[in-house]
Amino acid sequence: MIPYGRHEVNQADIDAVVSVLQSDFLTQGPAVPKFEKAIAEYCGVSHALAVTNATSALHLACLSLGLGPEDILWTSPVTFVASANCALYCGAKVDFVDIDPNTYNISISALSKKLALAKIDGCLPKIIVAVHLSGQSCDMKSIFELSKIYGFKIVEDASHAIGGLYQSKPIGCCDFSDVCIFSFHPVKIITTAEGGMLLTNQKCLADKVALLRSHGITRDSDLMTKEPDGAWYYQQIDLGFNYRMTDLQAALGLSQLERLDQYVSRRNDIAKRYTEHINSELIQLPYVDASCYSAFHLYIVRVHFQDENLHKILFGRLREHGIGVNLHYIPVYLQPWFEKMGFSSGYCAEAERYYSQAISLPIFPSMTDLEQDEVCTTLLKLVHDLKEERTL
Ligand SMILES: *Cc1c(COP(=O)(O)O)cnc(C)c1O
């Protein structure tokens, strides 16, 4: 099976992790701050905080922005559940804005309309989580302009997008957001096994996240309610968590970071080659906006069959033929947990149309041209066969 994604660990990565294993610190040592500094410099952002994964980064982003039980968070339905769950962790409500039919990111026109209505109804969102699906940035400038009118905060879920550019600047620079988060899960662009990073240009947010990722405990006497009892003293001044990344993970991340540009460039080469080889009037290829350099975490095609059942059949046959396709994502609000909140099918028409047509093809840096040719040939043949079967 040619998988849809595959991480790569080389000898330099292994050596980096082993050297931490042989050092004095497995966690809370020098590797985490070093990794944070390297990511902050790469992205051109003031603060980067490593955490256990992107899910905890999203949770801390929401908490540090003050999301609470009276509040609402909006996000795209075409994302991983974690982009929405962060609202629920804070006791807030979640709502969904339909996607753009070309980029599959949050639709600016749907967002503008929904905001205007929400203003009238007095239920504006406190936070919008903008998900950069497949590694292509959302239209951040437009979202930022809307935030000035309607007063919401912006979190970029850039789990797919490290190494990508928006308006020629690295995703993660936070020019148009309060916070940006990355995931280093092995399916993503670079990996620390589990791991995530939260980036911001706002010192007060960074300080809050630093506190909350380590139990809400401080050793800074300026923040304490009284003079320290002694040199051992610390105070818990907030309810935090243990969301710290280990030094083993940070060392792996630092080593992987060296190859980030190479990886993203290779992903773009693979995408370009798919675009050249997949020529069928039934298959819609990814659209990349001129303002973006996509990290191409995913290569998503849409198959335009008359009969939606054929999409399901094609997907099954691709897997039977050893092509490890996937589907990103089931509209989040169709998950039973969200249906319990009152969401039901039909809520976001574009997202559901997308879901009935989308297929993520294999894309990963070590994919060979031969493997890619096999994907293209198999896909084109299966689509052709299905079309023939139906017209007979
Ligand atoms: C993978 C992913 C997450 C969660 O990442 P973890 O590091 O596994 O917690 C969140 N949002 C999106 C869009 C993702 O793809």
Side-chain angles (χ1 to χ4, degrees), residues 52-58 78-84 129 131-134 157-160 181-188 193-197 297-298 328-329:
T52 47
N53 48 53
T55 304
S56 54
L58 284 163
V78 177
T79 185
F80 186 57
V81 291
S83 316
V129 175
V131 183
H132 303 325
L133 190 77
S134 80
D157 182 343
S159 292
H160 300 180
I181 66 100
F182 292 139
S183 171
F184 305 125
H185 184 278
V187 298
K188 308 296 162 75
E194 293 285 345
M197 192 79 78
H297 165 55
L298 303 172
H328 301 91
Y329 292 92

Side-chain angles (χ1 to χ4, degrees), residues 11-143:
Q11 194 56 47
D13 295 339
I14 294 166
D15 293 346
V17 174
V18 169
S19 78
V20 172
L21 279 169
Q22 292 166 333
S23 76
D24 289 338
F25 299 98
L26 301 184
T27 190
Q28 296 178 278
V32 167
K34 221 170 140 188
F35 184 38
E36 292 173 334
K37 188 159 175 281
I39 294 270
E41 275 168 13
Y42 181 89
C43 294
V45 72
S46 317
H47 310 278
L49 293 116
V51 288
T52 47
N53 48 53
T55 304
S56 54
L58 284 163
H59 185 193
L60 294 187
C62 290
L63 282 176
S64 64
L65 288 167
L67 192 75
E70 303 302 313
D71 300 319
I72 310 172
L73 175 149
W74 291 4
T75 190
S76 166
V78 177
T79 185
F80 186 57
V81 291
S83 316
N85 285 338
C86 55
L88 309 180
Y89 299 155
C90 301
K93 286 203 182 74
V94 66
D95 201 354
F96 300 92
V97 184
D98 210 349
I99 59 163
D100 179 280
N102 295 313
T103 63
Y104 320 142
N105 281 332
I106 200 164
S107 155
I108 301 303
S109 65
L111 178 60
S112 308
K113 282 187 203 129
K114 199 173 166 84
L115 283 166
L117 285 175
K119 186 168 185 198
I120 295 166
D121 295 340
C123 56
L124 284 167
K126 179 154 194 165
I127 295 177
I128 288 185
V129 175
V131 183
H132 303 325
L133 190 77
S134 80
Q136 163 162 245
S137 176
C138 294
D139 179 352
M140 292 310 297
K141 195 156 177 287
S142 298
I143 297 173

Side-chain angles (χ1 to χ4, degrees), residues 223-235:
L223 300 175
M224 293 181 187
T225 56
K226 61 165 195 158
E227 284 303 306
D229 292 347
W232 67 85
Y233 195 69
Y234 57 82
Q235 276 190 347

